[in-house]
Amino acid sequence: MRTPFIAANWKMHKTVVEATTYAGIFRERMARVRDAEVVLAPPFTALHAVAATLEGSRVGVAGQNLHAEPQGAFTGEVSAGMLREAGAAYVIIGHSERRQLFGETDETVNAKLQAALGAGLAPIVCVGETLAERESGRMFQVLNRQIEAGLVSVEAERAGSIVVAYEPVWAIGTGRNATPPQAQEAHAHIRQRVARALGGDIAAGCRVIYGGSVKPGNAGALAAQADVDGALVGGAGLDPGSFAEVVAQSAAPAV
Ligand code: PGA
């Protein structure tokens, strides 16, 4: 039985004041939530303050990105150790916006994954095809490449904390989510490829979460799929009430 995993990626939204106000409201909303791992990913500037606001609660904090090196002359970058010390226990790696707008590749994803695991951060590794790739029948090929190259050379004893997020690029911020059967098809495939990369035991326990226009109203039907273990939420994660509703629907999809 995999514990549902639900994360809000705030992207480049929220000042420190806005972020801590949200975190204060949200921690109250989560006080009665059991059997779900719930995470907020604020921008770096608000990460420490959000972690402090959530201290002692069941809600964790994630970085949205990291640099693969532990330190050095990398202006504008942040390391895994810095994220850990600021209060993060998780980090998002290879989000499609990082791949498309900032030139990240499967190789940089793998380097960042190794750095995160080395520092004790649980990685949330994003994969997913573009609309052109799906429509030209290359979806599985793209997912295979992203998983194979992204997860290469990971030590089995460290791999248990890896979460994989399936985020079809055509569904992100578009209001057009994958249907539950489309998500299930991709997630089952991803789990098979994770098994190839990391072994069957790791794959069986790995949370494969869905991202792309998740909101109250579709979260439950997505999470009810056998291989959908939660959600990575953008737009609907910017409001504590709507994100709390997504958590409730994802954690208890049958209700
Ligand atoms: P969205 O974003 O929920 O706004 O589509 C998802 C994401 O980018 O993780």
Side-chain angles (χ1 to χ4, degrees):
M1 187 58 196
R2 295 181 292 267
T3 303
F5 187 100
I6 307 104
N9 172 14
W10 289 353
K11 308 189 180 183
M12 198 171 74
H13 294 284
K14 298 196 187 297
T15 64
V16 173
V17 170
E18 290 165 348
T20 51
T21 302
Y22 178 124
I25 296 166
F26 189 68
R27 78 171 281 163
E28 296 306 315
R29 294 288 302 261
M30 290 298 105
R32 284 176 305 281
V33 172
R34 300 278 173 267
D35 305 324
E37 209 166 326
V38 181
V39 174
L40 301 178
F44 292 142
T45 44
L47 197 146
H48 185 257
V50 168
T53 307
L54 293 173
E55 194 158 357
S57 78
R58 302 171 47 84
V59 183
V61 174
Q64 296 178 12
N65 179 32
L66 80 166
H67 193 278
E69 295 297 326
Q71 71 225 346
F74 302 106
T75 300
E77 295 292 320
V78 169
S79 73
M82 292 170 184
L83 289 174
R84 265 305 287 258
E85 204 222 28
Y90 308 85
V91 63
I92 298 170
I93 299 176
H95 188 277
S96 62
E97 287 152 17
R98 301 290 322 167
R99 294 180 191 255
Q100 292 197 320
L101 304 175
F102 300 98
E104 293 200 8
T105 62
D106 297 324
E107 288 65 40
T108 58
V109 166
N110 184 255
K112 291 178 180 206
L113 174 64
Q114 306 285 359
L117 291 171
L121 287 172
I124 304 164
V125 180
C126 302
V127 298
E129 80 287 355
T130 63
L131 189 59
E133 288 164 343
R134 174 173 276 260
E135 287 181 341
S136 62
R138 286 181 291 139
M139 171 180 116
F140 292 121
Q141 194 183 323
V142 168
L143 293 176
N144 293 353
R145 191 203 71 227
Q146 290 175 338
I147 293 164
E148 224 160 276
L151 302 187
V152 73
S153 304
V154 171
E155 291 170 31
E157 59 269 24
R158 281 178 167 174
S161 69
I162 298 174
V163 173
V164 178
Y166 171 60
E167 297 211 307
V169 179
W170 47 272
I172 294 177
T174 59
R176 181 183 166 191
N177 62 290
T179 63
Q182 281 175 329
Q184 170 56 25
E185 180 188 37
H187 283 227
H189 181 80
I190 287 167
R191 197 178 303 287
Q192 268 178 23
R193 302 305 290 205
V194 171
R196 268 207 198 189
L198 302 173
D201 286 353
I202 295 292
C206 178
R207 270 81 56 85
V208 183
I209 64 176
Y210 171 80
S213 299
V214 176
K215 51 184 180 289
N218 64 22
L222 286 158
Q225 302 298 307
D227 286 291
V228 178
D229 304 312
L232 181 53
V233 187
L238 291 173
D239 172 77
S242 75
F243 186 50
E245 190 51 39
V246 168
V247 170
Q249 292 177 11
S250 303
V255 179

